């Protein structure tokens, strides 16, 4: 299968609609990196990471920590 972030995003959105937590994380990554023609958007990335982090998804919790560490779309906070 050819790498295609636009198609991946479409499939992730369908999975999210069915409650798939890891797809929330993957959407966060797409927005965090600006993949597939999706504009880099730390606010959107944070929202997707938060959704899955609140459901205990450790990768999203880590990404939120990194965003706060780097001040990406949030006030930088080392505490």
């Amino acid at each position: 299968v050819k790498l295609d972030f636009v198609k991946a995003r479409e499939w992730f959105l369908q999975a999210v609609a069915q409650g798939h937590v890891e797809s929330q994380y993957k959407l966060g990554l797409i927005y965090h990196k600006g993949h597939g023609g999706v504009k880099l958007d730390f606010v959107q990335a944070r929202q997707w990471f938060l959704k899955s982090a609140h459901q205990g998804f450790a990768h999203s919790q880590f990404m939120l920590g990194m965003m706060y560490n780097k001040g990406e779309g949030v006030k930088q906070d080392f505490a």
Side-chain angles (χ1 to χ4, degrees):
V1 175
K2 182 181 173 186
L3 181 66
D4 186 338
F5 286 107
V6 173
K7 284 283 188 200
R9 183 178 169 273
E10 291 172 12
W11 285 109
F12 291 144
L13 285 169
Q14 288 182 40
V16 162
Q18 297 180 54
H20 192 259
V21 177
E22 188 174 354
S23 292
Q24 295 169 342
Y25 165 72
K26 295 290 190 177
L27 284 168
L29 288 178
I30 287 173
Y31 284 101
H32 187 262
K33 303 295 182 188
H35 286 308
V38 173
K39 184 179 176 186
L40 179 78
D41 187 338
F42 291 135
V43 173
Q44 279 288 334
R46 181 179 174 271
Q47 289 175 350
W48 286 113
F49 290 145
L50 273 174
K51 286 179 188 233
S52 57
H54 285 307
Q55 296 173 73
F57 196 73
H59 294 313
S60 288
Q61 294 165 349
F62 172 79
M63 287 303 296
L64 286 167
M66 292 303 297
M67 290 180 78
Y68 279 101
N69 187 55
K70 295 178 180 181
E72 295 174 334
V74 296
K75 183 179 177 188
Q76 195 171 28
D77 186 353
F78 296 112

